[in-house]
Amino acid sequence: LNNNPSRYKLTLSGMLRSPKINFHPPFLMLMPVPLGVESEAVITIIPQDFIRQSRIRVKLPELELADGTRTCPFSVQFPEGQDIVLSSDGTANELICRVSFRSSKPMSFLGDMVFIDQEDNRLLEQQTIVFLPYTHTWHCTALIKKL
């Protein structure tokens, strides 16, 4: 001030937080059904540490059948929308996700269902073991993927 330089020491601190999502329930089982019949379950996606609105999309696994054709027996729907919206207190809305599986052929599968935000952050991966031959069960375990 007034051509009188003063020295100030400015210390900043903060905490780095990466957006992530959790699932409820953390484990998911689809009920056994006959071939060609859809099996469906609903999970709640719980966003955490988002600093702005985002949109979630899902990368579904493809399976290669014995004859060489590729198929995706999964479908995912967000009946109330797939946008993460922040409230005035900084918390994010929960999302409802409906996961379906339908196959006309018995199959075994081990793979990933990946949830990605609009900035291509892979937020959380779900490890899936899908439809062991003739048991028709799906087990889904949430695993945090660090990138």
Side-chain angles (χ1 to χ4, degrees), residues 34-98:
L35 292 175
V37 175
E38 185 174 77
S39 183
E40 177 181 272
V42 174
I43 57 175
T44 302
I45 298 173
I46 306 161
Q48 295 179 333
D49 299 328
F50 279 79
I51 58 172
R52 63 182 152 270
Q53 183 171 323
S54 190
R55 175 173 275 253
I56 298 296
R57 61 186 171 89
V58 183
K59 182 178 178 189
L60 298 173
E62 275 194 349
L63 305 173
E64 185 170 342
L65 302 176
D67 63 4
T69 59
R70 299 190 64 79
T71 184
C72 181
F74 291 103
S75 66
V76 173
Q77 295 177 335
F78 294 89
E80 298 172 8
Q82 59 199 79
D83 291 329
I84 295 173
V85 179
L86 299 178
S87 65
S88 59
D89 66 358
T91 58
N93 62 310
E94 295 181 352
L95 303 175
I96 302 300
C97 180
R98 184 170 288 134

Side-chain angles (χ1 to χ4, degrees), residues 78-130:
F78 294 89
E80 298 172 8
Q82 59 199 79
D83 291 329
I84 295 173
V85 179
L86 299 178
S87 65
S88 59
D89 66 358
T91 58
N93 62 310
E94 295 181 352
L95 303 175
I96 302 300
C97 180
R98 184 170 288 134
V99 179
S100 302
F101 185 101
R102 180 190 306 246
S103 177
S104 59
K105 299 177 183 178
M107 59 180 66
S108 296
F109 175 72
L110 173 62
D112 298 321
M113 183 179 294
V114 183
F115 291 78
I116 305 166
D117 71 6
Q118 69 188 28
E119 295 176 15
D120 287 332
N121 294 311
R122 291 174 179 234
L123 300 169
L124 189 129
E125 216 172 82
Q126 290 210 352
Q127 183 73 27
T128 56
I129 302 171
V130 182

